[in-house]
Amino acid sequence: MTVDRILPTDEAHDLLELATELADRELAPKVTEYEQRAEFPREVLRTLGRAGLLGLPYAEEHGGAAQPYEVYLQVLEILASRWLAVAEAVSVHTLSCYPVAAFGTDEQRKLLPDMIGGELLGAYCLSEPQGGSDAAALTTKAVRAGDEYVVTGTKAWITHAQVADFYNIFCRTGGPGPRGISCLLADRTTAGIAPQVAERTMGLRSSPVAQLVFDDARVPADRLVGGEGNGFTIAMSALDSGRLGIAACAVGLAQAALDYAVDYARQRQQFGRSIIDFQGLGFILADLATQISAARALTLAAARLRDAGRPYSIEAAKAKLFATDMAMRVTTDAVQVLGGAGYVADHPVERYMREAKVLQIVEGTNQIQRLVISRSLAKG
């Protein structure tokens, strides 16, 4: 189905047309095969980077396209409607470029053209085996030794752990709590960094997720991003943007599920007519369409606050919460619309349902989003 969009410029229209063309040509024909093989589509990400779609919200001086976040999110939505693992990879990579782009030194920012252009793929290393939602309690440690930091510890649930070219490592350089956390930028080739065996995930099987072990990994001190003690601020600032990326992915996935369910319901005949004409089923689809439109509007409203330079953290939490819960409902109901056919891998809705679940978990679980929102209400 065609989504009626209001875009700020003609250039934005062209970008969405490009994203649609690439999604139809490079993503849609490959998704089933790659998901079955659990193979990461590195060349697809490189193609998107060379087309300029990995650096949309970043400055032109660094190789980006200087596009409003609302435009970037709608590109992400289109990609997610064809292949969620690729859209999530774009979101994670964009998140991984953020620390250097926003807080890096001039020397560090020289890396941005290759990062934004997709020649270097990034990973964002915040979560740990015993500290997911409680990021301020992380224990990965970095000790200054001359002109290097020696890093020890383990990170968990790291997207791109095995395939990334650079890692943003959030580690403890000081005392307990958020003020003791710093951010280091490490190359994949750094001795002492060991990606572990990929997790066997319910969905997003072509997206490699694994632990990263740091065994006296030596990172040059000039790779400290934003100064010692500023890592938690960097991490939370990046996550506000990342939550909008996941919300956009949820909208795209839900749209794909709805489109497939509607097409199936138009063609499927029972009792002498298309099942979409039965009110009990037609009303379900009407509710799904409404929920998707609401989630898209909420996500873009938060993005426009960000573009205007206004506080948007709470609105990003609302968008992530609503859009990902919505995607879970929509994909579940899409399976129900197909009945028994929805439960087999011949139809993509079973994959959509498996994939939707992770969106309620990544970039802060939806319970954390509710905590963020409720605390803001308590403060008044």
Side-chain angles (χ1 to χ4, degrees):
M1 298 173 67
T2 301
V3 177
D4 191 13
R5 303 179 187 274
I6 299 175
L7 297 169
T9 63
D10 289 339
E11 184 181 9
H13 281 277
D14 294 340
L15 279 170
L16 264 64
E17 286 183 3
L18 173 62
T20 301
E21 177 187 341
L22 287 172
D24 288 340
R25 188 180 74 227
E26 301 291 338
L27 276 62
K30 300 174 182 177
V31 55
T32 300
E33 180 184 353
Y34 275 76
E35 286 289 328
Q36 288 176 346
R37 294 201 309 252
E39 179 181 346
F40 181 66
R42 182 65 181 92
E43 284 306 311
V44 171
L45 268 294
R46 196 169 275 116
T47 297
L48 295 179
R50 290 169 179 169
L53 297 185
L54 296 188
L56 292 178
Y58 290 113
E60 291 178 338
E61 63 185 288
H62 301 313
Q67 288 296 308
Y69 222 70
E70 66 164 303
V71 174
Y72 158 66
L73 292 182
Q74 291 180 83
V75 168
L76 207 56
E77 178 191 329
I78 290 169
L79 300 178
S81 70
R82 272 61 164 191
W83 191 349
L84 180 62
V86 168
E88 192 242 8
V90 172
S91 181
V92 168
H93 178 71
T94 302
L95 181 73
S96 300
C97 295
Y98 177 84
V100 169
F103 297 91
T105 64
D106 290 341
E107 189 65 25
Q108 291 167 352
R109 286 176 178 166
K110 291 179 181 178
L111 297 169
L112 279 173
D114 281 342
M115 293 163 69
I116 289 172
E119 296 305 314
L120 298 176
L121 187 68
Y124 194 79
C125 307
L126 180 62
S127 295
E128 297 186 354
Q130 302 302 321
S133 296
D134 188 7
L138 64 82
T139 59
T140 295
K141 191 173 183 180
V143 177
R144 183 70 181 260
D147 59 357
E148 295 177 319
Y149 283 94
V150 181
V151 185
T152 56
T154 302
K155 293 295 181 180
W157 311 114
I158 306 304
T159 302
H160 302 158
Q162 299 172 318
V163 296
D165 299 296
F166 66 92
Y167 303 106
N168 292 282
I169 308 169
F170 292 92
C171 48
R172 193 162 298 285
T173 55
R179 294 184 180 180
I181 296 172
S182 300
C183 178
L184 294 173
L185 179 69
D187 294 331
R188 172 169 91 175
T189 55
T190 303
I193 299 181
Q196 303 300 291
V197 175
E199 305 287 356
R200 297 171 61 193
T201 54
M202 177 189 296
L204 294 183
R205 291 172 180 166
S206 59
S207 176
V209 176
Q211 290 191 351
L212 273 176
V213 174
F214 301 91
D215 183 10
D216 290 339
R218 293 182 173 270
V219 180
D222 62 8
R223 288 296 190 91
L224 175 69
V225 180
E228 280 200 6
N230 290 319
F232 191 76
T233 299
I234 294 171
M236 294 302 103
S237 177
L239 284 177
D240 285 340
S241 298
R243 285 166 181 165
L244 290 180
I246 295 303
C249 286
V251 172
L253 181 68
Q255 187 69 60
L258 174 65
D259 291 350
Y260 197 90
V262 167
D263 186 61
Y264 182 90
R266 285 171 174 165
Q267 296 182 47
R268 174 72 167 166
Q269 296 283 318
Q270 290 288 280
F271 306 102
R273 55 179 173 158
S274 298
I275 62 173
I276 199 170
D277 294 329
F278 292 100
Q279 207 172 70
L281 193 145
F283 280 13
I284 290 174
L285 295 172
D287 285 343
L288 301 188
T290 302
Q291 291 168 24
I292 293 170
S293 292
R296 180 180 290 114
L298 188 60
T299 301
L300 293 179
R304 287 164 186 146
L305 286 175
R306 185 189 190 279
D307 290 333
R310 294 170 59 182
Y312 71 99
S313 178
I314 304 304
E315 298 308 309
K318 291 177 184 176
K320 196 272 182 182
L321 168 63
F322 184 83
T324 58
D325 279 354
M326 174 277 300
M328 193 72 250
R329 288 193 300 271
V330 169
T331 55
T332 301
D333 282 348
V335 170
Q336 190 71 21
V337 168
L338 269 68
Y343 198 66
V344 297
D346 295 340
H347 297 276
V349 290
E350 67 86 26
R351 172 169 56 83
Y352 297 157
M353 182 178 171
R354 289 187 286 103
E355 291 175 336
K357 187 62 208 173
V358 76
L359 299 178
Q360 296 177 299
I361 298 170
V362 296
E363 308 291 15
T365 66
N366 282 5
Q367 285 68 36
I368 289 295
Q369 308 312 316
R370 289 179 171 90
L371 183 63
V372 168
I373 297 163
S374 64
R375 283 179 174 174
S376 73
L377 295 174
K379 291 178 181 178

